[in-house]
Amino acid sequence: MRKSLKKKLSNSLSLETLDEVFSSFDLIGDIAIIKAPSNSNAAVLVAKQIMVIHKGVNSVFLQTSPVHGDHRIRKLTLLAGKNKTVATYKEAGCLFAVDIEKCYFSPRLSYERLHIACQVLPNETVINMFAGVGCFSIITAKKIPNTKVYSIDINPTAYKFMKENILVNKVFGKVVPLLGDAKDVVETQLQGVADRVLMPLPEKALEYLPVAISALKKEGGWIHYYDFQHATTEEDPRKKTEKKVAEKLTSLGIHYTFAHGRVIRSTGPYWYQTALDIRVNGCPSNLNNTNSFR
Ligand SMILES: C[S@@+](CC[C@H](N)C(=O)[O-])C[C@H]1O[C@@H](n2cnc3c(N)ncnc32)[C@H](O)[C@@H]1O
């Protein structure tokens, strides 16, 4: 599909613009999102060709702002097709309804979501601190027997879709949707209960790390930590994330092991999204009051 689209557009767009279009092209259900070209005539041309080639696409939007704010949303402008922003997306045998304008969503994290789900063991209690419409939580609950996933998000619209997605995927009772700031929710309801905590919000992961640790059982557990990292060609972005996190954990007096670090994707020139699986070996008792070690 992408090859034939590229061929169709190659007469009207420069190679550089074509590369920009294809590196930013996301398909979420029947909605396509592109970030380039910024020239509106060219963008409409690309959008129309996308609709010709991808018969299942009903709307094409141009992303006109970076992902921003607490809810991690983006501004979109309709280029072609229907002006509707709710899509149904399939991943790992699950169905997710999402409003792509009012909630964060990226199909580019699909491999990572499955990777995490596959690490969870039966009977584990998991906390997803930044759950969005519930993809990590629901895939995990669907695949792993007897898991309980507390699934938190601060965005009321994402929470609404998360609740719908829990019902549609028949994981009601296994995934518990919680609306609020993850720090407040964990401190008031989820101290010392988890085998595993997911932190898929790079912008807040370091600040919320003490809260995440306080959610683990006293014998310890796993933290899945996400980061954005700048790295030159001589530098390893995983090592930079490890250094930052090691400093924080050491300052908190936590015993830990870094089990696995990885680069999930490039997010711009010399910028990377990284992930770190951290084994926390037992939690000091003062961790239940996270304010005491900030
Ligand atoms: C990068 S998205 C991750 C979404 C999800 N994990 C996924 O794979 O689609 C981060 C999410 O964290 C939520 N968020 C931001 N600050 C938060 C906070 N303090 N507590 C709970 N959720 C928060 C945002 O609303 C957003 O849905």
Side-chain angles (χ1 to χ4, degrees):
M1 281 296 206
R2 286 187 183 222
K3 258 194 190 155
S4 45
L5 182 57
K6 227 171 188 171
K7 207 168 157 200
K8 286 249 182 209
L9 291 169
S10 58
N11 293 334
S12 357
L13 299 179
S14 70
L15 265 182
E16 201 184 28
T17 311
L18 267 181
D19 280 346
E20 275 175 357
V21 170
F22 283 91
S23 62
S24 71
F25 179 44
D26 276 338
L27 204 48
I28 303 172
D30 66 342
I31 299 180
I33 303 176
I34 54 175
K35 289 187 191 155
S38 49
N39 170 309
S40 55
N41 290 339
V44 170
L45 176 84
V46 172
K48 286 189 172 152
Q49 283 301 347
I50 288 175
M51 291 195 67
V52 170
I53 303 272
H54 291 264
K55 294 289 179 221
V57 170
N58 288 318
S59 315
V60 183
F61 288 91
L62 181 69
Q63 180 172 333
T64 51
S65 82
V67 169
H68 61 278
D70 268 356
H71 296 175
R72 312 307 302 144
I73 53 178
R74 55 197 155 184
K75 288 205 172 103
L76 299 170
T77 304
L78 183 70
L79 291 171
K82 292 184 198 155
N83 194 5
K84 59 128 203 161
T85 53
V86 176
T88 302
Y89 169 83
K90 274 190 202 158
E91 184 179 305
C94 300
L95 280 178
F96 298 102
V98 57
D99 186 327
I100 53 152
E101 195 175 38
K102 298 193 180 110
C103 309
Y104 176 88
F105 186 79
S106 174
R108 294 172 189 229
L109 296 174
S110 58
Y111 178 80
E112 179 61 21
R113 291 191 272 258
L114 198 56
H115 174 80
I116 294 297
C118 291
Q119 292 188 50
V120 177
L121 299 174
N123 302 308
E124 279 193 3
T125 299
V126 179
I127 297 175
N128 184 354
M129 290 177 78
F130 310 110
V133 298
C135 302
F136 270 105
S137 312
I138 291 168
I139 293 170
T140 301
K142 193 91 185 164
K143 298 228 168 287
I144 313 298
N146 298 321
T147 45
K148 184 103 175 173
V149 187
Y150 294 100
S151 192
I152 310 166
D153 205 278
I154 203 168
N155 175 354
T157 310
Y159 172 73
K160 177 182 108 48
F161 280 97
M162 192 197 320
K163 286 199 295 183
E164 278 179 27
N165 292 332
I166 288 170
L167 290 177
V168 166
N169 292 289
K170 301 187 173 61
V171 286
F172 186 74
K174 288 186 85 182
V175 178
V176 181
L178 295 160
L179 174 64
D181 183 323
K183 180 177 181 297
D184 298 339
V185 174
V186 169
E187 283 182 351
T188 54
Q189 302 176 51
L190 298 171
Q191 292 287 286
V193 301
D195 298 288
R196 196 177 289 275
V197 179
L198 316 185
M199 306 189 76
L201 177 57
E203 294 82 357
K204 286 211 174 120
L206 198 65
E207 183 192 340
Y208 279 48
L209 189 54
V211 186
I213 293 168
S214 77
L216 291 176
K217 290 179 176 166
K218 68 174 184 317
E219 61 269 31
W222 290 94
I223 303 275
H224 299 287
Y225 184 96
Y226 293 86
D227 194 18
F228 288 132
Q229 202 46 259
H230 183 268
T232 63
T233 39
E234 288 80 41
E235 292 174 318
D236 182 341
R238 290 169 301 182
K239 293 283 166 221
K240 290 185 85 173
T241 296
E242 282 185 11
K243 184 169 181 290
K244 181 165 92 174
V245 175
E247 279 167 11
K248 184 79 172 184
L249 292 173
T250 304
S251 77
L252 298 171
I254 305 293
H255 297 284
Y256 64 90
T257 316
F258 291 146
H260 184 220
R262 57 200 170 276
V263 174
I264 300 174
R265 57 181 177 150
S266 162
T267 54
Y270 303 107
W271 279 94
Y272 303 91
Q273 183 167 10
T274 57
L276 196 52
D277 303 330
I278 309 165
R279 176 76 210 174
V280 173
N281 305 316
C283 293
S285 54
N286 68 337
L287 284 189
N288 277 3
N289 178 359
T290 48
N291 289 325
S292 66
F293 58 91
R294 264 219 185 121

